Amino acid sequence: MHNMIKKVAAIHDLSGYGRASLTAIIPTLSSMGIQVCPLPTAILSNHTGGFETFSYLDLTDNMEEYIDSWKRIGIDFDCIYSGFLGSGRQIDIVSKFIDDFRRDSTLVVVDPVMADGGKLYKSFDWDFIPLMKKLVSKADVITPNFTEAAFLLGYKECPKKISKEQLKDWLKRLSELGPKTVVITSVPDEKNPDYTNVVAYNSKDDNYWKLTCRYIPTYYPGTGDTFTSVMIGCLLQDECLPVSLDKAMQFISQCIKSSYGFEYPKRNGVLLERELQFLRTRPLISDYENI
Ligand code: PXL
């Protein structure tokens, strides 16, 4: 009975405004019928992507006591999902959390949030990358964007273009860091700049996947969090990897298309609340290919 609803331990910050991190993850996974148990790393008044000011309460000192209470209660998680982490100490705490709470069937997903558009985010420096690599080595699935994938592989710059062969090599090398499944988002299309790709590799069956959609030249913070949440929701409902990625990609495209026509600051995020209803259904599968 207690297993009827799957549970995700979501290790992210809580940003009170702007639909990123927990305020995107909780509604997304809840709409898919999954219980989110947040382990907040920090509380911000709003996310940092495009607002001039924000308040920041670091919760690192509180996390161990919080986790100890969860241990005493004896909570069993179906998935552990970490994202934006602020320090090496938080990486160590999350790493220990994975060791303590992982069971054979637990899905461990690490989204190595650090960079985008060829650049590290403001609050990160290069010393953070080896620390994130250590956490990545514990994951079953990682979901870097194209820039994060390049930085995890040791490149200091992110190429503008990449061939299919190079991309397959990147996926394989990232999986050799530890995760069985590697998903890279926002990959520029080799042939057509009007398209963007999500690519993935599953080392268990040695399959490479590619999904393509139209590139919309805009940026809304938080869409990576929503993408990974939809993927997790699908995997926990026993969808296969490419169909999970297809649903996540379709959902994000839908959110961007329904927001893009309105004139409002992009920093407020996509109009998620209008679209959550579509997560309750299984959409027609659009397309994916084995590469
Ligand atoms: O969604 C990524 C994210 C998470 N947390 C904070 C952020 C951002 C992106 O801007 O600022 C605090």
Side-chain angles (χ1 to χ4, degrees), residues 1 18 35 37 50 98 101-102 112 116 130-131 169 173 186 194-195 230 245 252:
M1 176 70 184
Q35 181 184 1
C37 307
I98 294 171
F101 281 83
R102 173 180 242 158
D116 203 4
L131 305 177
D169 175 60
R173 279 160 55 208
S186 306
D194 294 335
Y195 287 87
V230 178
L245 296 174
I252 293 300

Side-chain angles (χ1 to χ4, degrees), residues 13 15 20-21 44 47-49 84 222 225:
D13 63 276
S15 289
S21 53
L44 290 83
H47 65 69
T48 62
F84 189 101
D225 300 321

Side-chain angles (χ1 to χ4, degrees), residues 81-123:
Y81 165 29
S82 76
F84 189 101
L85 298 172
S87 64
R89 215 178 125 212
Q90 284 194 349
I91 297 240
D92 289 342
I93 294 172
V94 176
S95 188
K96 181 156 187 313
F97 182 87
I98 294 171
D99 292 341
D100 291 349
F101 281 83
R102 173 180 242 158
R103 292 178 283 118
D104 286 348
S105 60
T106 310
L107 180 71
V108 177
V109 180
V110 171
D111 187 2
V113 176
M114 306 184 288
D116 203 4
K119 288 200 198 107
L120 281 172
Y121 290 137
K122 269 181 260 160
S123 51

Side-chain angles (χ1 to χ4, degrees), residues 199-210:
V199 295
Y201 173 59
N202 186 352
S203 62
K204 244 173 135 181
D205 54 17
D206 204 32
N207 266 312
Y208 293 87
W209 302 102
K210 181 171 114 171

Side-chain angles (χ1 to χ4, degrees), residues 47 65 173 180 233 246 291:
H47 65 69
E65 191 188 340
R173 279 160 55 208
K180 285 188 289 294
D246 182 63
I291 58 167

